[in-house]
Amino acid sequence: VLTTAKHELGHVLGLGHDDEPQDVMSSRPEDRIPLYERRVDIWETVRAGGDRTGEGNSLYTEAIELFNEGEYEAARPVFTDAREVFADAVDQFGAARTAVGSFEGDPAAETPDIERIRSLLGTLAERIGLLEAAADEMVDAAEAAAAGEGETANDRRAAANEQVEVFQQGGPVQLRDIALGLGLVRGSDREEPIAGPDGDQ
């Protein structure tokens, strides 16, 4: 807000985007936003986590379809892939959360809402962890079903469904909120929430 206010006041005083000081008057965010590259690196990590979550959702849905069709042996490796992709997403959100700590104590870090970003990333990691756990349960369910152990398969599937239900009860988390917290409002083109299996939020 302070940087933007200075920029707009510069225009009121007759300065253009090419005038000095460039750290205030430039039209390029990388010139005006303190620690811009650090913010972008964190945002790219968050986006990677979001992309991996989407991949995991697709794999999980594919595996559920195979499972429902009785293709248990074919479903198992797809559930395994989904679990690994969700785990990678959790790691990405965790890495971004850790990186946010680099803003603490840095006098150039004017705008990042550190606590808000940490909270959002912690929530994302926790919630995608539920999907990872669900996929793990379904790996066991598919293995049990393929072996003819129907009761065990049902128990594991019920446990997976519980994890997905808890995920869905949490409500959507907007990646854009993290971009806002980083002070990269214009850098965000992601307004969709992180969705669960079958596109449920």
Side-chain angles (χ1 to χ4, degrees), residues 132-147:
E132 178 187 354
D136 192 45
E137 293 286 1
M138 289 305 298
V139 169
D140 293 342
E143 184 174 348

Side-chain angles (χ1 to χ4, degrees), residues 21 26 29 49 54 84 88 94 100 115 137 151 156 186 189 198:
S26 175
E84 292 172 1
D88 185 47
V100 170
E115 291 311 310
E137 293 286 1
E151 185 175 344
R156 298 281 66 78
R186 295 178 64 188
D189 58 2
D198 299 323

Side-chain angles (χ1 to χ4, degrees), residues 67-165:
F67 189 94
N68 289 341
E69 292 167 2
E71 301 288 338
Y72 307 122
E73 291 185 8
R76 188 177 186 279
V78 184
F79 280 124
T80 299
D81 290 345
R83 178 186 62 197
E84 292 172 1
V85 171
F86 284 135
D88 185 47
V90 170
D91 289 345
Q92 296 284 351
F93 293 132
R97 191 172 190 270
T98 299
V100 170
S102 69
F103 290 121
E104 288 184 326
D106 192 323
E110 298 174 3
T111 57
D113 187 345
I114 296 171
E115 291 311 310
R116 172 94 171 123
I117 300 167
R118 277 187 175 150
S119 175
L120 289 168
L121 289 169
T123 298
L124 278 171
E126 180 180 316
R127 293 190 57 218
I128 304 310
L130 293 169
L131 299 181
E132 178 187 354
D136 192 45
E137 293 286 1
M138 289 305 298
V139 169
D140 293 342
E143 184 174 348
E149 300 169 6
E151 185 175 344
T152 300
N154 288 337
D155 289 346
R156 298 281 66 78
R157 182 165 190 175
N161 288 340
E162 287 177 14
Q163 299 287 348
V164 172
E165 285 174 18

Side-chain angles (χ1 to χ4, degrees), residues 15 119 133 169 180:
L15 297 177
S119 175
Q169 290 168 2
L180 287 168

Side-chain angles (χ1 to χ4, degrees), residues 26-46:
S26 175
S27 61
R28 295 163 27 103
E30 54 267 41
D31 294 333
R32 287 191 293 115
I33 299 176
L35 308 176
Y36 179 79
E37 292 301 326
R38 191 182 307 175
R39 296 169 201 247
V40 169
D41 287 345
I42 293 170
W43 173 237
E44 290 300 325
T45 303
V46 171

